[in-house]
């Protein structure tokens, strides 16, 4: 089974053909193809190749499935005996992509 570890949005993800990933928000409409050239580790099922820091010529091709918002988190700041309390909510944006192909170069 082939896989690759890619870096996007400051995070790392394990990409496998046919797998769907939720990554930090990207530009583009649903159905648009995207390419990830920042491949850190790649495997073709037999041999694992490590990049220093990335694999030259390797890329992962994916298709944007949808955009959305994660579940709401509550940010609550509080200092006792100081009459200080702040409550704020936040929903992080994400892009769901389906991995099409992995090329290790």
């Amino acid at each position: 089974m082939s896989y690759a570890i890619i870096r996007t949005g400051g995070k790392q993800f394990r990409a496998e053909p046919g797998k769907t990933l939720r990554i930090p928000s990207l530009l583009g409409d649903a159905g648009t193809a995207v390419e990830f050239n920042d491949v850190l580790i790649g495997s073709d099922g037999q041999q694992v190749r490590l990049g220093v820091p990335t694999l030259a010529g390797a890329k992962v091709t994916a298709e944007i499935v949808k955009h959305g918002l994660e579940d709401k988190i509550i940010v609550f700041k509080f200092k006792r005996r100081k009459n200080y309390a702040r409550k704020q909510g936040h929903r992080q944006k994400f892009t769901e992509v389906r991995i099409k192909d992995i090329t290790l170069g």
Side-chain angles (χ1 to χ4, degrees):
M1 169 175 23
S2 65
Y3 70 90
I5 305 294
I6 61 171
R7 180 170 49 205
T8 181
K11 299 180 182 181
Q12 297 175 7
F13 299 92
R14 179 183 168 118
E16 299 173 10
K19 187 176 178 182
T20 302
L21 300 174
R22 275 191 175 185
I23 60 174
S25 188
L26 295 176
L27 295 176
D29 297 327
T32 306
V34 291
E35 246 180 43
F36 301 104
N37 296 320
D38 210 359
V39 180
L40 306 175
I41 299 173
S43 173
D44 57 4
Q46 309 295 336
Q47 180 182 3
V48 176
R49 298 195 322 185
L50 302 173
V52 185
T54 59
L55 286 172
K59 66 179 178 178
V60 175
T61 308
E63 177 187 1
I64 295 177
V65 177
K66 68 176 183 175
H67 297 284
L69 296 171
E70 295 281 356
D71 293 336
K72 183 178 278 192
I73 62 167
I74 304 298
V75 180
F76 187 73
K77 299 179 181 182
F78 178 79
K79 294 187 180 178
R80 64 184 188 155
R81 299 188 302 266
K82 304 296 182 194
N83 195 24
Y84 178 85
R86 301 289 180 266
K87 182 177 178 181
Q88 182 178 9
H90 177 73
R91 294 184 72 185
Q92 188 71 30
K93 295 180 181 179
F94 72 85
T95 299
E96 195 167 291
V97 295
R98 181 172 295 114
I99 306 300
K100 295 290 186 187
D101 185 41
I102 297 174
T103 306
L104 298 178

